[in-house]
Amino acid sequence: MEQTRKKSLASSVMLVITALIWGSAFVAQSEGMNYVGSFTFNACRFLIGGIVLIPCIFLLHKANRGQRPNLGEEEKRKQKRAGILGGICCGAFLCLASSLQQFGIAYTTVGKAGFITALYIILVPILGLFLKKSVGANVWASVGIAAVGMYFLCIKEGFSVGLGDFLVFLCSIGFSLHILVIDHFSPKADGVIISCAQFFTAGAVSCVPAFFFEHPSWEAVCAAWLPIGYAGVMSCGVAYTLQVVAQKNISPTVASLLMSLESVFSVLAGWVLLGQSLSKKELAGCGMVFAGIILAQIPVKGRKKKGGYEKGV
């Protein structure tokens, strides 16, 4: 029992670190725009993330060797094909969502971007209705709370919505679709292989518009080495690996709650590192959105709660 508690505590700490990395990555994304275009930034960070995950695949497979059932060669090949196909599909949606997020961050604060992006936690079960998946009363309540919070956070005088906020909201829809695709493929293949393949796919797809519309230079990429390196190595590689390792020893509900702290850390990172601040109205909106996110993760009694979703970035 004591050993189990220690593992659970260690996993909780790892997930808080994961949320901290993801939250502060919004600062890296914002700063990277000072040197390179959105597509160039995403292409670099995703390709770096895929490279970082290659050794993680071997290390995690070695650590879990005794816990996995013995599979035949045909079954292994089938899982590998499913992992690559799933990674390609996930990578396409990841590229779309991340591009919208990257463009949106150029027109809004990193704190607001963090909270609006985190709406995927609420949108996923709503979109799941189209896949005939039931939604609990807590999710509908969280939608109402988050909607009021979004009004305080995003609506300006004259009932207008900022371009950056709108693009980031579209990004949260993209991440919701991305998560549903992961949910479809994850039972059929290794999650780390899917993630590695999706990073390479998203990076390769981002390269096309980057070369056509942004004409990146090696000098500009080198000048942005710190934000690109942080987003690629820490946000894509380290944070994802911590998430995979930690979720083995903690309940999905607790894991989701801890990772939702990403939105809080994005506000703190924007304030400490960039000097960005939010008005009292915007802070009230952040609080309501966060309350809605937390409420959406509370399992309803008598309803089987599906495992926590992974963002995968």
Side-chain angles (χ1 to χ4, degrees), residues 98-206:
S98 298
S99 296
L100 289 168
Q101 184 186 65
Q102 195 66 30
F103 280 110
I105 286 177
Y107 300 100
T108 189
T109 65
V110 298
K112 291 173 70 174
F115 273 92
I116 297 171
T117 300
L119 286 174
Y120 72 84
I121 295 176
I122 298 173
L123 292 174
V124 166
I126 298 299
L127 292 175
L129 288 173
F130 295 99
L131 301 176
K132 298 182 179 180
K133 296 184 178 182
S134 59
V135 173
N138 62 316
V139 174
W140 292 115
S142 70
V143 169
I145 295 173
V148 176
M150 285 291 289
Y151 173 83
F152 288 125
L153 186 60
C154 302
I155 302 298
K156 300 180 179 180
E157 293 183 6
F159 208 77
S160 62
V161 180
L163 174 62
D165 297 338
F166 178 68
L167 290 174
V168 177
F169 178 71
L170 292 180
C171 135
S172 68
I173 297 176
F175 274 126
S176 301
L177 296 172
H178 168 251
I179 289 168
L180 290 174
V181 175
I182 291 178
D183 188 51
H184 173 74
F185 282 101
S186 58
K188 305 174 182 178
D190 188 297
V192 186
I193 292 178
I194 292 177
S195 186
C196 185
Q198 79 166 350
F199 286 146
F200 278 118
T201 300
V205 173
S206 298

Side-chain angles (χ1 to χ4, degrees), residues 36-277:
V36 295
S38 299
F39 292 117
T40 302
F41 184 88
N42 280 339
C44 293
R45 72 155 170 162
F46 286 136
L47 291 175
I48 291 173
I51 292 171
V52 169
L53 277 185
I54 291 176
C56 294
I57 292 175
F58 295 101
L59 291 174
L60 289 173
H61 279 200
K62 185 177 179 181
N64 299 331
R65 187 173 297 166
Q67 302 176 15
R68 298 196 310 269
N70 293 324
L71 300 176
E73 290 301 319
E74 180 60 31
E75 186 63 27
K76 289 180 180 179
R77 283 194 292 269
K78 185 178 179 181
Q79 284 197 4
K80 187 176 181 180
R81 286 194 298 268
I84 294 174
L85 176 61
I88 292 173
C89 295
C90 293
F93 281 98
L94 177 61
C95 178
L96 172 64
S98 298
S99 296
L100 289 168
Q101 184 186 65
Q102 195 66 30
F103 280 110
I105 286 177
Y107 300 100
T108 189
T109 65
V110 298
K112 291 173 70 174
F115 273 92
I116 297 171
T117 300
L119 286 174
Y120 72 84
I121 295 176
I122 298 173
L123 292 174
V124 166
I126 298 299
L127 292 175
L129 288 173
F130 295 99
L131 301 176
K132 298 182 179 180
K133 296 184 178 182
S134 59
V135 173
N138 62 316
V139 174
W140 292 115
S142 70
V143 169
I145 295 173
V148 176
M150 285 291 289
Y151 173 83
F152 288 125
L153 186 60
C154 302
I155 302 298
K156 300 180 179 180
E157 293 183 6
F159 208 77
S160 62
V161 180
L163 174 62
D165 297 338
F166 178 68
L167 290 174
V168 177
F169 178 71
L170 292 180
C171 135
S172 68
I173 297 176
F175 274 126
S176 301
L177 296 172
H178 168 251
I179 289 168
L180 290 174
V181 175
I182 291 178
D183 188 51
H184 173 74
F185 282 101
S186 58
K188 305 174 182 178
D190 188 297
V192 186
I193 292 178
I194 292 177
S195 186
C196 185
Q198 79 166 350
F199 286 146
F200 278 118
T201 300
V205 173
S206 298
C207 282
V208 177
F211 282 108
F212 271 98
F213 301 113
E214 296 174 351
H215 309 292
S217 65
W218 180 248
E219 290 76 14
V221 172
C222 289
W225 71 271
L226 184 56
I228 289 175
Y230 184 88
V233 176
M234 298 299 293
S235 182
C236 293
V238 175
Y240 177 78
T241 305
L242 285 174
Q243 179 191 14
V244 170
V245 173
Q247 284 195 225
K248 294 177 183 178
N249 301 307
I250 197 169
S251 72
T253 301
V254 175
S256 297
L257 290 173
L258 291 174
M259 286 187 290
S260 67
L261 289 172
E262 168 193 0
S263 56
V264 178
F265 286 129
S266 69
V267 172
L268 295 175
W271 174 53
V272 173
L273 299 176
L274 299 180
Q276 295 178 347
S277 59

